[in-house]
Amino acid sequence: MTFQELCNAVMLKATGKATVLSPDNAKWKKILGIANYYQNAWLNEPGQKWNSRYDRAYELGTISDTDTYELDETIDEISTARGDDVYIGTEDGRKIKYNLVDYDDLQNHAVGNYCAVIGNSLIFNQTFDEQSPEYGGTLYAPVYLGIEELTGKDDDIVVDDPYWLVTICAAEYIRNDIVKQNQHGNLIAEANNLMTNMIRRNRSGQVRRVRGSWRNPGGLS
């Protein structure tokens, strides 16, 4: 769904009329602001890490003669879940894994493969050089991506269920409308139901996080 499609859907749900607004219309701009607010609220929903924003092997760059690598602005955080690894894919086909630790703890790991995040950078406990087996390899990390602010009519909506965003935006759009505000509660209830279902689907998809072998603790065959 593009923002223009969302805007059209919001107007229909809020007013009951099929209305196509143009980007120079004040109502279009109002819905744009509302959509940005709630799309960001979705991203930061308490207790949720959205699978749709997860990339297990996000390419960060090429290893050169430094110990510090800048993270893209699109990265919200590096995952620390079990089975998620920062690693370097070498030119000869190897995969060298690194343990992600707190930056304050990095100094305690003078040897071994360790790295840490500080600010918008990934820092290793060593400076690579041309003699390093990692040199020239590609750096990967398991990340959760953030979202870009909506600005234009063709921008894509990234929320898992765009109809939640349509509904919550419609509720906010009519919140102070004397004629329509009696529908506000119904729209909020509908949006809450959509969010609950969205969270349920997201959690059911997180079985992918159970990696490696699994042993039955007993009692079930």
Side-chain angles (χ1 to χ4, degrees), residues 19 41 51 129:
T19 306
N51 296 329
D129 58 35

Side-chain angles (χ1 to χ4, degrees), residues 48-102:
Q48 295 306 307
K49 291 184 181 297
W50 300 106
N51 296 329
S52 59
R53 306 309 297 158
Y54 173 81
D55 188 332
R56 190 179 184 187
Y58 187 85
E59 185 174 329
L60 298 179
T62 302
I63 299 298
S64 58
D65 52 354
T66 182
D67 64 353
T68 303
Y69 297 84
E70 185 175 354
L71 301 175
D72 295 348
E73 292 182 357
T74 55
I75 295 174
D76 195 46
E77 66 175 293
I78 293 181
S79 173
T80 56
R82 182 179 179 181
D84 281 345
D85 297 301
V86 173
Y87 70 92
I88 297 169
T90 66
E91 293 182 313
D92 60 2
R94 287 183 294 161
K95 181 187 289 187
I96 303 177
K97 297 180 180 180
Y98 282 79
N99 296 308
L100 187 68
V101 298
D102 292 336

Side-chain angles (χ1 to χ4, degrees), residues 3 21 34 47 80 89 92 94 111 115 130 133 138 141 143 148 154 170 174 180 184 196 201-202 210-211:
F3 173 71
L21 302 175
I34 295 172
T80 56
D92 60 2
R94 287 183 294 161
V111 296
C115 60
E130 292 185 5
T138 303
V143 304
E148 295 184 4
D154 295 323
I174 66 167
K180 300 289 184 181
H184 181 263
T196 297
R201 289 194 299 271
N202 187 66
V210 179
R211 302 188 184 117

Side-chain angles (χ1 to χ4, degrees), residues 15-27:
T15 69
K17 299 177 182 179
T19 306
V20 179
L21 302 175
S22 61
D24 60 352
N25 187 290
K27 294 178 180 178

Side-chain angles (χ1 to χ4, degrees), residues 89-145:
T90 66
E91 293 182 313
D92 60 2
R94 287 183 294 161
K95 181 187 289 187
I96 303 177
K97 297 180 180 180
Y98 282 79
N99 296 308
L100 187 68
V101 298
D102 292 336
Y103 180 69
D104 291 342
D105 190 39
L106 188 61
Q107 62 184 349
N108 299 321
H109 299 283
V111 296
N113 295 349
Y114 292 90
C115 60
V117 174
I118 180 170
N120 66 337
S121 296
L122 184 65
I123 301 177
F124 290 84
N125 63 337
Q126 61 179 299
T127 298
F128 302 106
D129 58 35
E130 292 185 5
Q131 304 307 312
S132 304
E134 297 91 341
Y135 193 84
T138 303
L139 175 59
Y140 298 93
V143 304
Y144 284 94
L145 299 171

